[in-house]
Amino acid sequence: MDASPILLVLNQAGLAAAEVIARRFSTARIHGLAGRVPTADTQFNETIDHIRLLFQAGHPIVGFCASGILIRALAPVLSDKTTEPPVIAVSEDGKSVVPLLGGHRGANELAKLLASALGGHAAITTAGDTKLGVALDAPPRGWRLANPEDAKPVMAELLSGAPVRLEGRADWLKEAKLQQADDAAITLSATEQPEEAGPTRLVYHPQRYAVGVGCARGCDAAELIELVETELAGANIAKGAVACVTTIDLKADEAAVNALAAHLDVPLRVFSAEELQRETPRLKNPSPVVFKEVGCYGVSEGAALAAAGAFGTLKVEKQKTDNATCAIARSPKWIDSDVVGRARGHLSVIGIGPGKDDWRTPEATKLLAEATDVVGYSLYLDIVEQHITGKTHHNFPLGAEEDRVRFALEEAGKGKNVALISSGDAGIYAMGSLVYELLHRNEEYGGVSDAAKRVSVTNAPGISALQACSARIGAPLGHDFCAISLSDLLTPWEVIERRLRAAAKGDFVIAFYNPVSKRRRTQLAAAKEILLEHRSAATPVILGVNLGRPEETIRVTSLHALSVDDVDMLTTVLVGSTNTRTVMRGDGKPFVYTPRGYAKRIDAPKAAEQVAPPAPLVSPPPATALAEDTTTDISDILETDDKS
């Protein structure tokens, strides 16, 4: 269990027990129902939606409530028990602790800790734990089950009283409450060697081997994988006994190395040249050529030995093909890959959308939960505070975009899992493009370090301001549209003006980002005059102001009535095309849409029958009738370059 538990409290009756646990687990946070638990770290309004959100984001949930509430909330979203986070129900008095989900993913252990802290009873209900004292489908750390698909029927037989034969040495199996017999039909085998498994034979491998590799840049993955598999087979080592793939940090981004780790389904861990150089006395095949190239006398042997530890030994000396090398080392105990070298760093570029939980993608929320460090403008970190509890926060001021991105990449280059948080969609006028620009540049020309360039990157899409604004007022982006930033801090005004004229001539619906700032008051007025050369003064204009904040407004006006004084740095401006229509509804609120041409298809049969043509689309009412504020509840604070 990697993430910090969320303590879910629905009323004051369960608060005392939750506070006991919050004091015991420093990273745990209390989430309380608004209006009932005012002292909670985070408050929520919709219980079912909030429980599902936390669960889908991978947060362990400890609910101080009836188990039925958790069951009803999560039943529709249950899918894969091997990936679901722990869910535990605790009675409000703390006396009963029941793991509901994730028993073999930390829930049982957590339930025992909770019960101990509260003086209650952990009601462990998983059959293997209660009757056999072991979960055969979830061996302890350092072991891998070769045939997990056979574990369930085997456990069913053992729970029915069938005896078992143990082969090999595994203390955790020996200590379990298993009925043993030499002639038993079911066998549990513990071995480092490849062994045939089946419906009556579960094979467990202790993960004591580290595979060290090196390769030429651009090496074919198939060549490296074939080399490793050949050497494993030749040494009679089961693939399941491999704990990690290791190499020098210069190869952290090598496609073949990452493909090998994925093929073996183990972590990739890397070492610096200095760390590998310390292994020189233990190398069987030191190479001055390798030292000249990368600064150590051996990559594959050195990496394998470094991972296996001080008492590790080479099982397979360096073997090579035209483009790859491989060595295998064995440790006398299981290898904890979490503390071997470091991981390849990862950067998640996360667009949190409008900020509301239900408008943020599940992928973004999951990446936030997985990150160890979060980087962003302080306001954005505040918006997602409940999902980054217990993580290292790196706050940057607005306007320090390059410093922010550079820092995030360099921290990821140290092997960390970093989340760079942006509002809206990070790839639209935000941090995404700067991430890739810094990765593209050489370090001497303003790029990032070599280590930072080797990180993996995930760019999670988010809902952008133009989408949020359009959806709230209707469908003004229903036909061709474009987005133009009016900020001339990074783009010359001459270029912006040329794009404005092209968009106006092309009759695009236009979304204006960064329309004004404290220092820029003329660009929006100039854009308005350019547009008036090509479209009607009554063209609908939507102003999304302070989107997602309590004072949010969505206002519809006209191109003629558009005033710079109506727009600030947190306003998204949508300007309709010549076909965009505004319609006033019976409740006095307008909707705006841009027809895509379906009317022609709808009216075609009537035209064929020589029926009178339909009435024209509703034209925009006079500008004075369009100004109406409607307060809604969305959020999308734009990542801009000039809000300061």
Side-chain angles (χ1 to χ4, degrees):
M1 185 184 66
D2 299 322
S4 301
I6 299 298
L7 311 180
L8 191 79
V9 183
L10 304 184
N11 53 50
Q12 289 292 318
L15 182 59
E19 289 176 336
V20 170
I21 300 304
R23 289 191 294 269
R24 184 67 63 93
F25 293 84
S26 61
T27 59
R29 290 294 181 270
I30 296 176
H31 287 210
L33 184 61
R36 294 186 181 180
V37 191
T39 59
D41 299 309
T42 297
Q43 296 192 344
F44 58 88
N45 291 301
E46 299 295 333
T47 300
I48 299 299
D49 290 343
H50 192 67
I51 293 172
R52 289 176 183 171
L53 171 73
L54 295 174
F55 181 78
Q56 291 174 318
H59 291 288
I61 301 172
V62 180
F64 292 81
C65 59
S67 59
I69 295 173
L70 299 172
I71 293 170
R72 285 193 297 273
L74 298 177
V77 295
L78 298 181
S79 56
D80 182 2
K81 75 173 186 177
T82 64
T83 61
E84 292 164 349
V87 177
I88 299 172
V90 181
S91 61
E92 292 175 344
D93 61 4
K95 298 303 181 184
S96 298
V97 182
V98 184
L100 300 175
L101 296 171
H104 296 163
R105 299 195 69 248
N108 289 347
E109 291 76 8
L110 179 57
K112 294 173 184 177
L113 291 174
L114 296 174
S116 176
L118 295 170
H121 169 69
I124 308 298
T125 59
T126 48
D129 293 87
T130 56
K131 187 172 181 179
L132 305 178
V134 66
L136 294 180
D137 60 340
R141 291 193 67 192
W143 290 82
R144 171 173 285 194
L145 174 58
N147 53 324
E149 67 280 3
D150 294 321
K152 186 175 181 179
V154 167
M155 286 191 67
E157 290 295 321
L158 299 187
L159 290 170
S160 298
V164 65
R165 182 173 66 251
L166 299 183
E167 294 182 357
R169 181 177 177 180
D171 291 342
W172 60 280
L173 286 174
K174 185 177 180 181
E175 295 167 1
K177 296 178 289 187
L178 299 171
Q179 180 183 344
Q180 299 183 41
D182 292 338
D183 60 349
I186 296 175
T187 301
L188 305 182
S189 175
T191 177
E192 299 176 12
Q193 301 174 355
E195 192 172 280
E196 186 175 353
T200 60
R201 186 180 186 85
L202 300 185
V203 177
Y204 296 91
H205 299 300
Q207 296 183 294
R208 294 178 177 173
Y209 291 88
V211 174
V213 296
C215 65
R217 180 61 66 180
C219 172
D220 185 4
E223 180 178 346
L224 180 60
I225 291 173
E226 182 180 0
L227 171 62
V228 170
E229 289 204 326
T230 298
E231 297 308 320
L232 286 172
N236 205 26
I237 300 170
K239 288 194 289 185
V242 175
C244 57
V245 169
T246 63
T247 189
I248 192 169
D249 54 11
L250 297 176
K251 296 296 179 181
D253 62 337
E254 188 66 52
V257 174
N258 283 274
L260 171 65
H263 176 73
L264 296 176
D265 192 23
V266 296
L268 168 64
R269 307 296 291 187
V270 300
F271 295 91
S272 66
E274 292 77 12
E275 291 172 313
L276 296 184
Q277 182 65 358
R278 298 187 196 122
E279 302 297 330
T280 301
R282 297 203 287 169
L283 300 182
K284 297 296 185 181
N285 298 277
S287 170
V289 175
V290 173
F291 179 82
K292 185 177 180 180
E293 289 291 329
V294 298
C296 65
Y297 281 96
V299 171
S300 57
E301 288 186 351
L305 287 167
F311 299 101
T313 56
L314 278 177
K315 184 73 171 179
V316 176
E317 296 181 14
K318 182 175 73 173
Q319 303 295 317
K320 64 180 183 178
T321 60
D322 290 342
N323 298 292
T325 63
C326 162
I328 304 172
R330 181 186 184 276
S331 171
K333 61 179 183 179
W334 71 277
I335 297 174
D336 185 354
S337 59
D338 289 344
V339 298
V340 168
R342 67 168 177 83
R344 179 190 183 189
H346 182 76
L347 178 66
S348 295
V349 187
I350 300 176
I352 61 174
K356 286 182 61 177
D357 283 341
D358 53 353
W359 278 44
R360 184 171 54 252
T361 67
E363 179 191 24
T365 302
K366 182 175 182 294
L367 291 172
L368 282 174
E370 293 173 349
T372 58
D373 293 64
V374 291
V375 179
Y377 171 44
S378 57
L379 175 60
Y380 305 152
L381 299 189
D382 290 342
I383 291 175
V384 294
E385 188 276 335
Q386 69 188 58
H387 298 289
I388 56 177
T389 299
K391 306 178 188 302
T392 303
H393 297 191
H394 305 280
N395 296 334
F396 281 76
L398 197 62
E401 283 83 4
E402 184 175 339
D403 292 341
R404 196 184 316 170
V405 173
R406 188 180 303 278
F407 178 84
L409 282 167
E410 295 295 350
E411 288 298 292
K414 298 174 183 178
K416 299 179 181 180
N417 187 332
V418 180
L420 176 63
I421 299 175
S422 177
S423 68
D425 185 302
I428 301 178
Y429 299 116
M431 299 293 93
S433 62
L434 186 52
V435 167
Y436 293 105
E437 182 176 352
L438 293 182
L439 288 173
H440 179 227
R441 288 177 176 271
N442 292 330
E443 187 172 6
E444 60 268 29
Y445 294 106
V448 291
S449 68
D450 185 74
K453 287 182 180 293
R454 301 192 188 285
V455 305
S456 55
V457 179
T458 298
N459 192 357
I463 295 175
S464 186
L466 61 87
Q467 295 170 280
C469 188
S470 175
R472 284 306 196 191
I473 199 62
L477 303 182
H479 209 337
D480 295 342
F481 65 91
C482 67
I484 298 176
S485 171
L486 294 181
S487 171
D488 57 358
L489 290 183
L490 301 176
T491 305
W493 174 252
E494 293 76 14
V495 175
I496 297 173
E497 184 175 5
R498 184 167 66 248
R499 292 170 180 171
L500 280 168
R501 294 190 180 281
K505 185 176 180 180
D507 198 24
F508 288 95
V509 177
I510 304 174
F512 285 133
Y513 280 70
N514 309 313
V516 300
S517 73
K518 293 179 180 179
R519 298 186 299 273
R520 294 186 296 100
R521 307 292 295 173
T522 61
Q523 284 89 337
L524 181 61
K528 170 183 172 179
E529 294 306 315
I530 291 173
L531 291 175
L532 283 171
E533 296 175 10
H534 297 272
R535 59 193 70 175
S536 165
T539 299
V541 175
I542 302 101
L543 306 178
V545 185
N546 285 311
L547 297 171
R549 314 311 296 168
E551 62 274 22
E552 175 198 292
T553 61
I554 304 292
R555 182 184 177 196
V556 183
T557 184
S558 69
L559 188 57
H560 171 76
L562 176 62
S563 170
V564 174
D565 294 333
D566 295 331
V567 179
D568 62 21
M569 292 180 290
L570 297 179
T571 302
T572 299
V573 180
L574 302 184
V575 180
S577 69
T578 57
N579 291 316
T580 302
R581 300 290 183 261
T582 300
V583 178
M584 196 67 68
R585 304 191 68 184
D587 59 6
K589 296 181 180 180
F591 65 80
V592 182
Y593 75 103
T594 302
R596 194 177 172 199
Y598 291 108
K600 296 178 181 178
R601 297 169 62 181
I602 295 172
D603 297 335
K606 298 180 181 179
E609 297 171 6
Q610 297 183 342
V611 176
L617 291 168
V618 179
S619 298
T624 55
L626 289 173
E628 165 150 347
D629 289 347
T630 36
T631 302
T632 57
D633 184 27
I634 62 176
S635 58
D636 193 354
I637 308 305
L638 299 179
E639 183 98 41
T640 65
D641 50 23
D642 61 344
K643 289 183 184 175
S644 57

